[in-house]
Amino acid sequence: MGSMEMYLPLIWAALIGVAVAMYIILDGFDLGIGVLFPFTKSETERDQMMRTIAPFWDGNETWLILGGVGLFVAFPRAYAVIMPALYIPVIVMLVALVFRGVAFEFRTVSRSKTGWSFAFALGSTLAAFSQGVILGGLVQGIAVTNREFSGGHFHWATPFSFLCGVALVAGYALLGTTWLHMKTEGQVAARAQRQAKYWLIAVLVFMAAVSLYTPIAEPRIAARWFSLPNFYFLWPVPTITALVAFACWHWIERGREVPPFLASIALFMLGYIGLVISNYPYLVPPSLTIWDTSASAGSQVFMLIGTLFLLPMVIGYVIFVYWIFRGKVREGESYH
């Protein structure tokens, strides 16, 4: 294997990893707003909640497209295995995202908002749950024979994947509450501060459950974390996670606005890093590595040149929009 064949898949894996991380962070809190809708009775307060994400929500989904297209172009064999293995939750996720987007726009102009609020909450929760199921289905392993998917249509449907689905709903709700506490005033901010503590507890319980289940169910993951000398290098990950969780709770209690949101993002990223550590170098656990599934070096170089031009533009647009619409959203303020 030449140096290009060695490093190009690593570069693409890192780019896709960044795109997925950006999507989790940015679309996570706006999906969390939808998850939190049923816990708010007033349509006026829901209006205020929606206005906090109105300038960002559709742009946030750009990262999902980048991650999906990157996987298709740079790792076609992984795409060809993962998609048939997870067709059902992927389709449910895409339909839920479209349903949610329609509800978002129609609710803005509708005289009766109750039905569209329900649709927005349902679409957001289903999209979050489906993403968790996809993650769980990937982490628990995909049946592969002769480098092709060899499982059934419901291979993904296990208690672990459903657990990951519920865990991601709770995680997005935590991001949503800390975002609302940071971006709003009045009753919405006060309720978000109260709810954030309960969602933080739920997230920690789910993180502990996943952290205990995966090494017990998968010997390769147990060997990665608990064999020597790996343990000496990896023990800071759960330790830092516990410290960040404690800091997040403390900041919520003290009524701090920005630090709990940043701490929630840090918790997500630490969990994400933990999953990467558990599964590297597999892109389709437990059989196909990054190199087994990569496209030809020529294809990867061609797409990499285009991505290196496109990525700074996307990052610049994200920074510009978040800077323009910085500050708190008060009752009665409108984006449209």
Side-chain angles (χ1 to χ4, degrees):
M1 184 184 293
S3 57
M4 286 185 67
E5 287 78 8
M6 177 70 185
Y7 292 111
L8 277 173
L10 286 174
I11 293 171
W12 268 106
L15 284 173
I16 293 171
V18 169
V20 172
M22 291 295 290
Y23 175 76
I24 291 171
I25 295 169
L26 297 180
D27 212 30
F29 70 77
D30 71 51
L31 285 169
I33 301 298
V35 173
L36 295 171
F37 255 37
F39 301 94
T40 306
K41 295 182 180 178
S42 165
E43 291 295 342
T44 303
E45 292 183 1
R46 290 188 183 120
D47 287 342
Q48 190 180 358
M49 293 164 68
M50 265 194 162
R51 288 185 196 111
T52 66
I53 58 172
F56 317 117
W57 71 276
D58 45 359
N60 292 342
E61 292 175 356
T62 303
W63 296 99
L64 180 64
I65 298 170
L66 181 61
V69 172
L71 182 68
F72 176 74
V73 172
F75 302 100
R77 190 174 297 280
Y79 189 89
V81 172
I82 292 172
M83 286 303 291
L86 299 169
Y87 263 143
I88 293 176
V90 168
I91 290 171
V92 170
M93 178 192 71
L94 294 176
V95 171
L97 287 174
V98 172
F99 192 61
R100 173 178 183 268
V102 171
F104 193 110
E105 297 295 342
F106 277 71
R107 185 187 177 280
T108 306
V109 297
S110 176
R111 291 183 179 178
S112 177
K113 297 184 176 182
T114 306
W116 291 115
S117 293
F118 174 77
F120 182 70
L122 180 63
S124 301
T125 306
L126 265 181
F129 180 76
S130 302
Q131 289 172 14
V133 169
I134 292 168
L135 175 66
L138 193 59
V139 170
Q140 71 188 1
I142 293 176
V144 175
T145 304
N146 296 325
R147 299 194 171 193
E148 294 182 357
F149 174 58
S150 57
H153 293 302
F154 293 94
H155 185 79
W156 51 272
T158 64
F160 176 72
S161 65
F162 290 134
L163 171 71
C164 291
V166 178
L168 203 59
V169 171
Y172 284 170
L174 174 63
L175 284 172
T177 53
T178 52
W179 169 262
L180 286 175
H181 186 221
M182 180 178 66
K183 289 288 290 183
T184 61
E185 293 180 344
Q187 288 298 318
V188 174
R191 184 174 51 255
Q193 184 184 0
R194 292 195 300 274
Q195 291 176 345
K197 291 187 290 186
Y198 300 113
W199 288 115
L200 175 60
I201 293 171
V203 167
L204 293 176
V205 169
F206 284 123
M207 288 182 78
V210 171
S211 300
L212 289 173
Y213 177 84
T214 47
I216 292 172
E218 300 291 339
R220 64 182 173 82
I221 295 179
R224 174 62 54 83
W225 284 90
F226 299 112
S227 63
L228 297 178
N230 291 3
F231 180 78
Y232 298 135
F233 298 104
L234 298 180
W235 69 265
V237 177
T239 304
I240 294 172
T241 303
L243 292 174
V244 170
F246 175 79
C248 187
W249 179 277
H250 175 72
W251 285 325
I252 293 170
E253 285 270 293
R254 296 287 297 271
R256 301 288 298 277
E257 295 178 343
V258 178
F261 181 63
L262 299 179
S264 302
I265 292 173
L267 282 176
F268 258 87
M269 290 302 97
L270 285 163
Y272 186 57
I273 290 169
L275 291 175
V276 172
I277 291 172
S278 295
N279 291 286
Y280 179 82
Y282 295 105
L283 199 56
V284 184
S287 50
L288 298 178
T289 67
I290 294 170
W291 296 276
D292 291 334
T293 59
S294 64
S296 66
S299 299
Q300 291 188 337
V301 168
F302 179 76
M303 290 303 299
L304 187 60
I305 293 171
T307 304
L308 290 178
F309 280 103
L310 180 65
L311 197 58
M313 295 173 62
V314 174
I315 293 172
Y317 171 79
V318 170
I319 294 172
F320 175 75
V321 170
Y322 277 82
W323 173 256
I324 289 294
F325 293 96
R326 67 189 183 278
K328 288 181 176 290
V329 175
R330 299 172 180 83
E331 288 186 9
E333 289 184 342
S334 176
Y335 165 66
H336 288 277

Short mmCIF file of all heavy atoms in Angstrom, two decimals, residues 76-125:
data_model
loop_
_atom_site.label_atom_id
_atom_site.label_comp_id
_atom_site.label_asym_id
_atom_site.label_seq_id
_atom_site.Cartn_x
_atom_site.Cartn_y
_atom_site.Cartn_z
N PRO A 76 -17.28 4.04 -1.06
CA PRO A 76 -18.48 3.48 -1.71
C PRO A 76 -18.85 2.09 -1.21
O PRO A 76 -20.03 1.76 -1.13
CB PRO A 76 -18.09 3.47 -3.19
CG PRO A 76 -16.60 3.51 -3.23
CD PRO A 76 -16.19 4.30 -2.02
N ARG A 77 -17.85 1.27 -0.87
CA ARG A 77 -18.18 -0.08 -0.39
C ARG A 77 -18.87 -0.01 0.97
O ARG A 77 -19.80 -0.77 1.25
CB ARG A 77 -16.92 -0.95 -0.32
CG ARG A 77 -17.22 -2.40 -0.05
CD ARG A 77 -15.95 -3.24 -0.12
NE ARG A 77 -15.35 -3.22 -1.45
CZ ARG A 77 -15.78 -3.95 -2.47
NH1 ARG A 77 -16.79 -4.76 -2.32
NH2 ARG A 77 -15.17 -3.87 -3.64
N ALA A 78 -18.43 0.91 1.84
CA ALA A 78 -19.09 1.09 3.13
C ALA A 78 -20.52 1.57 2.93
O ALA A 78 -21.46 1.11 3.59
CB ALA A 78 -18.30 2.08 3.99
N TYR A 79 -20.69 2.51 1.99
CA TYR A 79 -22.04 3.02 1.69
C TYR A 79 -22.94 1.89 1.19
O TYR A 79 -24.11 1.80 1.59
CB TYR A 79 -21.91 4.12 0.62
CG TYR A 79 -23.18 4.88 0.35
CD1 TYR A 79 -23.50 6.02 1.07
CD2 TYR A 79 -24.06 4.47 -0.65
CE1 TYR A 79 -24.66 6.74 0.82
CE2 TYR A 79 -25.22 5.18 -0.91
CZ TYR A 79 -25.51 6.31 -0.18
OH TYR A 79 -26.66 7.00 -0.44
N ALA A 80 -22.36 1.02 0.33
CA ALA A 80 -23.14 -0.07 -0.25
C ALA A 80 -23.54 -1.11 0.80
O ALA A 80 -24.52 -1.84 0.62
CB ALA A 80 -22.35 -0.75 -1.37
N VAL A 81 -22.78 -1.20 1.89
CA VAL A 81 -23.11 -2.15 2.96
C VAL A 81 -24.02 -1.51 4.00
O VAL A 81 -25.01 -2.10 4.45
CB VAL A 81 -21.81 -2.67 3.62
CG1 VAL A 81 -22.13 -3.50 4.87
CG2 VAL A 81 -20.99 -3.49 2.64
N ILE A 82 -23.71 -0.28 4.40
CA ILE A 82 -24.44 0.38 5.49
C ILE A 82 -25.87 0.70 5.09
O ILE A 82 -26.81 0.49 5.86
CB ILE A 82 -23.69 1.67 5.93
CG1 ILE A 82 -22.37 1.30 6.60
CG2 ILE A 82 -24.57 2.49 6.88
CD1 ILE A 82 -21.48 2.50 6.88
N MET A 83 -26.06 1.20 3.87
CA MET A 83 -27.41 1.63 3.47
C MET A 83 -28.41 0.48 3.47
O MET A 83 -29.48 0.60 4.08
CB MET A 83 -27.35 2.32 2.11
CG MET A 83 -26.75 3.72 2.16
SD MET A 83 -27.63 4.81 3.31
CE MET A 83 -29.17 5.00 2.45
N PRO A 84 -28.15 -0.67 2.80
CA PRO A 84 -29.16 -1.74 2.86
C PRO A 84 -29.35 -2.30 4.26
O PRO A 84 -30.44 -2.79 4.59
CB PRO A 84 -28.59 -2.82 1.91
CG PRO A 84 -27.16 -2.47 1.72
CD PRO A 84 -27.04 -1.00 1.89
N ALA A 85 -28.31 -2.21 5.09
CA ALA A 85 -28.44 -2.69 6.47
C ALA A 85 -29.34 -1.79 7.30
O ALA A 85 -29.98 -2.25 8.26
CB ALA A 85 -27.06 -2.80 7.12
N LEU A 86 -29.38 -0.49 6.94
CA LEU A 86 -30.10 0.48 7.78
C LEU A 86 -31.13 1.27 6.98
O LEU A 86 -31.46 2.41 7.33
CB LEU A 86 -29.09 1.44 8.43
CG LEU A 86 -28.05 0.77 9.35
CD1 LEU A 86 -26.95 1.76 9.71
CD2 LEU A 86 -28.73 0.28 10.62
N TYR A 87 -31.64 0.68 5.89
CA TYR A 87 -32.58 1.39 5.02
C TYR A 87 -33.77 1.95 5.81
O TYR A 87 -34.14 3.13 5.66
CB TYR A 87 -33.12 0.46 3.93
CG TYR A 87 -32.39 0.58 2.61
CD1 TYR A 87 -32.16 -0.55 1.83
CD2 TYR A 87 -31.96 1.82 2.13
CE1 TYR A 87 -31.48 -0.46 0.62
CE2 TYR A 87 -31.28 1.91 0.92
CZ TYR A 87 -31.05 0.78 0.17
OH TYR A 87 -30.39 0.87 -1.03
N ILE A 88 -34.37 1.14 6.64
CA ILE A 88 -35.63 1.54 7.29
C ILE A 88 -35.41 2.75 8.22
O ILE A 88 -36.10 3.76 8.09
CB ILE A 88 -36.26 0.34 8.02
CG1 ILE A 88 -36.70 -0.69 6.99
CG2 ILE A 88 -37.43 0.80 8.91
CD1 ILE A 88 -37.26 -1.97 7.59
N PRO A 89 -34.45 2.70 9.18
CA PRO A 89 -34.27 3.90 10.02
C PRO A 89 -33.78 5.11 9.24
O PRO A 89 -34.11 6.24 9.58
CB PRO A 89 -33.24 3.46 11.08
CG PRO A 89 -32.60 2.24 10.54
CD PRO A 89 -33.61 1.58 9.67
N VAL A 90 -33.00 4.90 8.16
CA VAL A 90 -32.54 6.04 7.35
C VAL A 90 -33.73 6.70 6.66
O VAL A 90 -33.86 7.94 6.64
CB VAL A 90 -31.49 5.59 6.31
CG1 VAL A 90 -31.24 6.70 5.28
CG2 VAL A 90 -30.18 5.22 7.00
N ILE A 91 -34.63 5.88 6.09
CA ILE A 91 -35.82 6.44 5.41
C ILE A 91 -36.72 7.15 6.42
O ILE A 91 -37.22 8.25 6.16
CB ILE A 91 -36.57 5.32 4.67
CG1 ILE A 91 -35.74 4.84 3.47
CG2 ILE A 91 -37.94 5.80 4.21
CD1 ILE A 91 -36.29 3.60 2.79
N VAL A 92 -36.90 6.54 7.59
CA VAL A 92 -37.73 7.19 8.63
C VAL A 92 -37.13 8.54 9.02
O VAL A 92 -37.83 9.53 9.17
CB VAL A 92 -37.85 6.27 9.87
CG1 VAL A 92 -38.50 7.03 11.03
CG2 VAL A 92 -38.66 5.03 9.52
N MET A 93 -35.79 8.58 9.14
CA MET A 93 -35.12 9.84 9.50
C MET A 93 -35.36 10.91 8.44
O MET A 93 -35.71 12.06 8.76
CB MET A 93 -33.61 9.61 9.67
CG MET A 93 -32.84 10.88 9.99
SD MET A 93 -31.06 10.70 9.84
CE MET A 93 -30.85 10.57 8.08
N LEU A 94 -35.18 10.54 7.17
CA LEU A 94 -35.33 11.53 6.10
C LEU A 94 -36.78 12.03 6.00
O LEU A 94 -37.02 13.23 5.85
CB LEU A 94 -34.88 10.92 4.76
CG LEU A 94 -33.38 10.56 4.67
CD1 LEU A 94 -33.07 9.87 3.35
CD2 LEU A 94 -32.53 11.81 4.82
N VAL A 95 -37.74 11.10 6.10
CA VAL A 95 -39.15 11.51 6.06
C VAL A 95 -39.46 12.42 7.25
O VAL A 95 -40.16 13.44 7.10
CB VAL A 95 -40.07 10.27 6.06
CG1 VAL A 95 -41.53 10.68 6.25
CG2 VAL A 95 -39.90 9.49 4.76
N ALA A 96 -38.95 12.08 8.42
CA ALA A 96 -39.20 12.89 9.62
C ALA A 96 -38.60 14.28 9.46
O ALA A 96 -39.20 15.29 9.88
CB ALA A 96 -38.63 12.20 10.84
N LEU A 97 -37.41 14.39 8.86
CA LEU A 97 -36.78 15.71 8.66
C LEU A 97 -37.60 16.56 7.69
O LEU A 97 -37.75 17.76 7.88
CB LEU A 97 -35.34 15.53 8.15
CG LEU A 97 -34.31 15.03 9.18
CD1 LEU A 97 -32.97 14.77 8.51
CD2 LEU A 97 -34.14 16.02 10.32
N VAL A 98 -38.11 15.92 6.61
CA VAL A 98 -38.95 16.66 5.66
C VAL A 98 -40.25 17.09 6.34
O VAL A 98 -40.69 18.25 6.23
CB VAL A 98 -39.25 15.78 4.43
CG1 VAL A 98 -40.28 16.45 3.54
CG2 VAL A 98 -37.97 15.50 3.65
N PHE A 99 -40.88 16.16 7.05
CA PHE A 99 -42.12 16.44 7.78
C PHE A 99 -41.92 17.61 8.75
O PHE A 99 -42.75 18.51 8.85
CB PHE A 99 -42.50 15.17 8.55
CG PHE A 99 -43.88 15.18 9.12
CD1 PHE A 99 -44.98 15.29 8.29
CD2 PHE A 99 -44.09 15.07 10.48
CE1 PHE A 99 -46.27 15.28 8.81
CE2 PHE A 99 -45.36 15.07 11.02
CZ PHE A 99 -46.45 15.17 10.18
N ARG A 100 -40.80 17.60 9.43
CA ARG A 100 -40.47 18.65 10.40
C ARG A 100 -40.27 20.00 9.71
O ARG A 100 -40.75 21.03 10.18
CB ARG A 100 -39.19 18.24 11.13
CG ARG A 100 -38.59 19.25 12.05
CD ARG A 100 -37.37 18.65 12.71
NE ARG A 100 -36.80 19.56 13.66
CZ ARG A 100 -35.84 20.43 13.39
NH1 ARG A 100 -35.36 20.51 12.17
NH2 ARG A 100 -35.36 21.22 14.33
N GLY A 101 -39.58 19.96 8.56
CA GLY A 101 -39.36 21.21 7.83
C GLY A 101 -40.65 21.83 7.33
O GLY A 101 -40.84 23.04 7.42
N VAL A 102 -41.55 20.98 6.81
CA VAL A 102 -42.85 21.48 6.35
C VAL A 102 -43.63 22.08 7.53
O VAL A 102 -44.22 23.17 7.42
CB VAL A 102 -43.66 20.33 5.69
CG1 VAL A 102 -45.08 20.77 5.41
CG2 VAL A 102 -42.97 19.87 4.42
N ALA A 103 -43.62 21.37 8.65
CA ALA A 103 -44.34 21.86 9.84
C ALA A 103 -43.76 23.20 10.31
O ALA A 103 -44.50 24.10 10.72
CB ALA A 103 -44.25 20.83 10.96
N PHE A 104 -42.44 23.32 10.22
CA PHE A 104 -41.78 24.57 10.65
C PHE A 104 -42.31 25.76 9.83
O PHE A 104 -42.69 26.79 10.39
CB PHE A 104 -40.27 24.43 10.45
CG PHE A 104 -39.46 25.51 11.11
CD1 PHE A 104 -38.67 25.21 12.21
CD2 PHE A 104 -39.49 26.81 10.65
CE1 PHE A 104 -37.93 26.21 12.84
CE2 PHE A 104 -38.75 27.81 11.26
CZ PHE A 104 -37.97 27.50 12.37
N GLU A 105 -42.34 25.61 8.51
CA GLU A 105 -42.74 26.72 7.65
C GLU A 105 -44.24 26.99 7.73
O GLU A 105 -44.67 28.15 7.82
CB GLU A 105 -42.33 26.43 6.20
CG GLU A 105 -40.83 26.30 5.99
CD GLU A 105 -40.08 27.60 6.28
OE1 GLU A 105 -40.71 28.67 6.30
OE2 GLU A 105 -38.85 27.54 6.49
N PHE A 106 -45.07 25.94 7.71
CA PHE A 106 -46.52 26.13 7.72
C PHE A 106 -47.00 26.66 9.07
O PHE A 106 -47.98 27.40 9.13
CB PHE A 106 -47.23 24.82 7.37
CG PHE A 106 -47.33 24.59 5.89
CD1 PHE A 106 -46.20 24.27 5.15
CD2 PHE A 106 -48.54 24.72 5.23
CE1 PHE A 106 -46.27 24.08 3.79
CE2 PHE A 106 -48.62 24.54 3.86
CZ PHE A 106 -47.48 24.22 3.13
N ARG A 107 -46.34 26.26 10.15
CA ARG A 107 -46.74 26.75 11.48
C ARG A 107 -46.58 28.26 11.57
O ARG A 107 -47.36 28.94 12.24
CB ARG A 107 -45.89 26.07 12.56
CG ARG A 107 -46.32 26.42 13.98
CD ARG A 107 -45.37 25.87 15.01
NE ARG A 107 -45.78 26.30 16.32
CZ ARG A 107 -45.53 27.50 16.83
NH1 ARG A 107 -44.85 28.37 16.10
NH2 ARG A 107 -45.96 27.83 18.03
N THR A 108 -45.56 28.78 10.87
CA THR A 108 -45.29 30.22 10.93
C THR A 108 -46.44 31.05 10.39
O THR A 108 -46.74 32.13 10.89
CB THR A 108 -44.00 30.54 10.14
OG1 THR A 108 -42.94 29.72 10.62
CG2 THR A 108 -43.62 32.00 10.29
N VAL A 109 -47.13 30.54 9.34
CA VAL A 109 -48.17 31.32 8.67
C VAL A 109 -49.58 30.82 9.00
O VAL A 109 -50.56 31.43 8.55
CB VAL A 109 -47.96 31.29 7.15
CG1 VAL A 109 -46.65 31.94 6.78
CG2 VAL A 109 -48.01 29.86 6.61
N SER A 110 -49.69 29.73 9.76
CA SER A 110 -51.00 29.16 10.04
C SER A 110 -51.72 29.92 11.16
O SER A 110 -51.09 30.38 12.11
CB SER A 110 -50.85 27.68 10.43
OG SER A 110 -52.10 27.15 10.79
N ARG A 111 -53.06 30.04 11.04
CA ARG A 111 -53.83 30.67 12.12
C ARG A 111 -53.93 29.75 13.32
O ARG A 111 -53.86 30.19 14.46
CB ARG A 111 -55.23 31.02 11.61
CG ARG A 111 -55.24 32.14 10.57
CD ARG A 111 -56.66 32.47 10.17
NE ARG A 111 -56.67 33.57 9.19
CZ ARG A 111 -57.78 34.05 8.64
NH1 ARG A 111 -58.96 33.54 8.96
NH2 ARG A 111 -57.70 35.04 7.76
N SER A 112 -54.13 28.46 13.08
CA SER A 112 -54.17 27.48 14.16
C SER A 112 -52.84 26.73 14.20
O SER A 112 -52.53 25.95 13.29
CB SER A 112 -55.32 26.49 13.93
OG SER A 112 -55.32 25.50 14.94
N LYS A 113 -52.07 26.95 15.24
CA LYS A 113 -50.71 26.42 15.28
C LYS A 113 -50.59 25.07 16.00
O LYS A 113 -49.54 24.43 15.94
CB LYS A 113 -49.79 27.43 15.96
CG LYS A 113 -49.69 28.75 15.21
CD LYS A 113 -48.70 29.69 15.85
CE LYS A 113 -48.57 30.96 15.01
NZ LYS A 113 -47.59 31.90 15.55
N THR A 114 -51.65 24.65 16.67
CA THR A 114 -51.55 23.45 17.51
C THR A 114 -51.17 22.21 16.69
O THR A 114 -50.27 21.46 17.08
CB THR A 114 -52.90 23.19 18.22
OG1 THR A 114 -53.28 24.37 18.93
CG2 THR A 114 -52.77 22.04 19.20
N GLY A 115 -51.84 22.00 15.56
CA GLY A 115 -51.55 20.82 14.75
C GLY A 115 -50.14 20.83 14.20
O GLY A 115 -49.44 19.81 14.20
N TRP A 116 -49.68 22.00 13.74
CA TRP A 116 -48.33 22.09 13.19
C TRP A 116 -47.28 21.97 14.30
O TRP A 116 -46.18 21.45 14.06
CB TRP A 116 -48.16 23.41 12.44
CG TRP A 116 -48.96 23.46 11.17
CD1 TRP A 116 -49.99 24.29 10.88
CD2 TRP A 116 -48.81 22.59 10.04
NE1 TRP A 116 -50.49 24.02 9.63
CE2 TRP A 116 -49.79 22.98 9.09
CE3 TRP A 116 -47.96 21.53 9.73
CZ2 TRP A 116 -49.93 22.35 7.86
CZ3 TRP A 116 -48.09 20.90 8.49
CH2 TRP A 116 -49.06 21.31 7.58
N SER A 117 -47.62 22.42 15.51
CA SER A 117 -46.69 22.24 16.64
C SER A 117 -46.52 20.76 16.95
O SER A 117 -45.41 20.28 17.20
CB SER A 117 -47.22 22.97 17.89
OG SER A 117 -47.21 24.36 17.71
N PHE A 118 -47.64 20.01 16.90
CA PHE A 118 -47.57 18.56 17.12
C PHE A 118 -46.72 17.90 16.03
O PHE A 118 -45.88 17.03 16.32
CB PHE A 118 -48.98 17.96 17.13
CG PHE A 118 -49.01 16.48 17.20
CD1 PHE A 118 -48.76 15.81 18.40
CD2 PHE A 118 -49.27 15.71 16.06
CE1 PHE A 118 -48.76 14.42 18.46
CE2 PHE A 118 -49.28 14.33 16.11
CZ PHE A 118 -49.02 13.69 17.31
N ALA A 119 -46.95 18.33 14.78
CA ALA A 119 -46.18 17.76 13.67
C ALA A 119 -44.69 18.07 13.81
O ALA A 119 -43.84 17.20 13.54
CB ALA A 119 -46.71 18.32 12.34
N PHE A 120 -44.38 19.28 14.23
CA PHE A 120 -42.98 19.65 14.41
C PHE A 120 -42.33 18.82 15.51
O PHE A 120 -41.19 18.34 15.37
CB PHE A 120 -42.88 21.14 14.75
CG PHE A 120 -41.49 21.65 14.90
CD1 PHE A 120 -40.64 21.78 13.81
CD2 PHE A 120 -41.00 21.99 16.16
CE1 PHE A 120 -39.34 22.24 13.96
CE2 PHE A 120 -39.69 22.46 16.31
CZ PHE A 120 -38.87 22.58 15.21
N ALA A 121 -43.04 18.64 16.62
CA ALA A 121 -42.50 17.84 17.73
C ALA A 121 -42.33 16.38 17.32
O ALA A 121 -41.29 15.76 17.61
CB ALA A 121 -43.43 17.94 18.94
N LEU A 122 -43.33 15.84 16.60
CA LEU A 122 -43.25 14.44 16.17
C LEU A 122 -42.10 14.24 15.18
O LEU A 122 -41.31 13.29 15.31
CB LEU A 122 -44.58 14.03 15.52
CG LEU A 122 -44.66 12.59 15.02
CD1 LEU A 122 -44.52 11.61 16.18
CD2 LEU A 122 -45.99 12.35 14.28
N GLY A 123 -41.98 15.13 14.19
CA GLY A 123 -40.90 15.01 13.22
C GLY A 123 -39.53 15.13 13.86
O GLY A 123 -38.61 14.36 13.54
N SER A 124 -39.38 16.06 14.79
CA SER A 124 -38.09 16.25 15.47
C SER A 124 -37.72 15.03 16.30
O SER A 124 -36.58 14.55 16.27
CB SER A 124 -38.15 17.49 16.38
OG SER A 124 -38.46 18.64 15.65
N THR A 125 -38.70 14.51 17.05
CA THR A 125 -38.42 13.36 17.93
C THR A 125 -38.12 12.11 17.11
O THR A 125 -37.19 11.35 17.43
CB THR A 125 -39.62 13.11 18.86
OG1 THR A 125 -39.94 14.32 19.56
CG2 THR A 125 -39.30 12.02 19.87
#
